[in-house]
Amino acid sequence: AKATMLVKLQSLLKQEVDPQASPAELKKLFHKAALKYHPDRVPEAERAAKAAEIQTFKELSEAYNTYKEFTEA
């Protein structure tokens, strides 16, 4: 399951992530992507047009949080 979440993170981050990447490296990549897609960074008037980016943020957050659960367990 951890490998599945890593693959999902890779696709959402839109870049190749080393399977041996440390949790700190993944956290850094996640935060960079989260800033890019965060709904608060999209002006209210543009949110409807950028719904796909907001959805990407939600999926990215879910995948990262699930990955964290596996690494902390």
Side-chain angles (χ1 to χ4, degrees):
K2 180 180 172 183
T4 304
M5 293 316 313
L6 186 60
V7 170
K8 183 165 178 123
L9 274 173
Q10 287 177 335
S11 69
L12 291 169
L13 292 171
K14 300 188 181 3
Q15 59 185 302
E16 193 64 32
V17 178
D18 182 357
Q20 301 302 317
S22 71
E25 292 169 314
L26 285 174
K27 182 177 182 178
K28 184 177 179 180
L29 291 171
F30 164 73
H31 281 281
K32 184 177 179 181
L35 285 174
K36 178 179 178 181
Y37 296 114
H38 198 284
D40 289 346
R41 296 182 63 98
V42 178
E44 190 75 38
E46 297 176 22
R47 287 192 182 166
K50 298 200 175 198
E53 289 183 9
I54 293 170
Q55 184 61 34
T56 298
F57 172 78
K58 291 176 184 177
E59 291 175 8
L60 181 63
S61 295
E62 181 181 309
Y64 181 72
N65 288 330
T66 304
Y67 173 80
K68 274 189 2 184
E69 288 175 17
F70 282 108
T71 57
E72 293 172 355

